[in-house]
């Protein structure tokens, strides 16, 4: 059943992404310097062109998302649609991690219900179709939850190290993750 939730989650995000790709203002939000999407996109273009320090200027936002975009641009070219697909995939994979961690902390029915709610949470679907860090932060947070649950169960050093590494990445994506 969790496989069906994953498929439904990814499908609804794909449908939404295809719908908004036809909306004329989607690219305007990226090209207009008023919006955060523009800053992430500009930094990613600088990084993907080979300047891995980001042009020598201070990042206005945490740097991980710009590097995430830069890697995607390097592999697939400068195509925002691919970014949205990858974000939708990450969020959907995060839902699987959330299910596994919740089932360990509570029980399978609770994990199933909460995963279903997260799969169709409209704000999450909305952010998967934007060039913003929310999808990456969501995935990293769900991965962190899963890693911590696994570390508590196994109580081995490698599991705790992995949890710390994911927390470090989360901080590079959003500094107030500790709050």
């Amino acid at each position: 059943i969790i496989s069906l939730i994953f498929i439904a989650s990814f499908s609804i995000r794909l449908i939404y992404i295809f719908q908004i790709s036809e909306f004329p203002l989607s690219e305007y939000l990226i090209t207009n310097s008023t919006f955060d999407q523009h800053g992430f996109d500009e930094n990613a273009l600088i990084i993907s062109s080979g300047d891995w320090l980001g042009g020598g200027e201070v990042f206005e936002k945490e740097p991980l998302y710009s590097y995430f975009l830069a890697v995607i641009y390097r592999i697939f070219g400068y195509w925002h649609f691919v970014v949205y697909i990858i974000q939708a995939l990450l969020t959907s994979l995060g839902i699987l991690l959330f299910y596994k961690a919740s089932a360990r902390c509570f029980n399978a029915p609770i994990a199933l219900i909460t995963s279903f709610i997260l799969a169709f949470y409209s704000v999450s679907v909305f952010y998967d179709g934007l060039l913003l860090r929310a999808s990456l932060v969501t995935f990293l947070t769900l991965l962190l939850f899963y890693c911590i649950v696994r570390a508590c169960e196994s109580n081995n050093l490698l599991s705790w190290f992995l949890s710390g590494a994911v927390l470090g990445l989360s901080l590079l994506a959003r500094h107030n993750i500790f709050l």
Side-chain angles (χ1 to χ4, degrees), residues 56-131:
E57 296 188 21
V58 176
F59 288 96
E60 292 178 15
K61 304 279 184 194
E62 295 83 351
L64 185 64
Y65 187 67
S66 294
Y67 283 97
F68 171 76
L69 290 177
V71 169
I72 294 171
Y73 292 166
R74 276 300 252 190
I75 295 170
F76 298 102
Y78 185 67
W79 194 20
H80 297 131
F81 185 77
V82 173
V83 175
Y84 304 147
I85 300 295
I86 291 171
Q87 289 182 162
L89 182 62
L90 281 178
T91 302
S92 298
L93 289 172
I95 291 166
L96 292 177
L97 294 172
F98 183 64
Y99 171 80
K100 288 182 175 262
S102 298
R104 286 185 160 111
C105 286
F106 304 104
N107 59 41
I110 289 175
L112 198 59
I113 292 167
T114 56
S115 297
F116 182 82
I117 291 169
L118 180 57
F120 295 100
Y121 181 51
S122 61
V123 175
S124 176
V125 174
F126 172 74
Y127 276 109
D128 283 343
L130 295 174
L131 214 60

Side-chain angles (χ1 to χ4, degrees), residues 10-77:
F10 190 57
S11 298
I12 197 164
R13 284 165 169 73
L14 284 179
I15 291 166
Y16 174 71
I17 290 166
F18 278 109
Q19 286 177 341
I20 64 159
S21 67
E22 297 173 13
F23 185 62
L25 290 178
S26 294
E27 288 300 309
Y28 174 76
L29 296 173
I30 297 169
T31 57
N32 186 319
S33 63
T34 306
F35 301 101
D36 285 346
Q37 294 181 76
H38 175 75
F40 288 125
D41 191 51
E42 287 294 312
N43 287 337
L45 287 172
I46 291 168
I47 295 165
S48 67
S49 71
D51 185 357
W52 283 91
L53 296 178
E57 296 188 21
V58 176
F59 288 96
E60 292 178 15
K61 304 279 184 194
E62 295 83 351
L64 185 64
Y65 187 67
S66 294
Y67 283 97
F68 171 76
L69 290 177
V71 169
I72 294 171
Y73 292 166
R74 276 300 252 190
I75 295 170
F76 298 102

Side-chain angles (χ1 to χ4, degrees), residues 117-149:
I117 291 169
L118 180 57
F120 295 100
Y121 181 51
S122 61
V123 175
S124 176
V125 174
F126 172 74
Y127 276 109
D128 283 343
L130 295 174
L131 214 60
L132 292 172
R133 63 187 169 193
S135 297
L136 182 60
V137 170
T138 300
F139 173 74
L140 288 172
T141 303
L142 295 172
L143 179 60
L144 178 62
F145 176 48
Y146 176 77
C147 287
I148 289 173
V149 168

Side-chain angles (χ1 to χ4, degrees), residues 6 9 47 77 83 141 151 156 161 163:
F6 170 79
S9 169
I47 295 165
V83 175
T141 303
N156 77 28
F161 177 79
S163 297

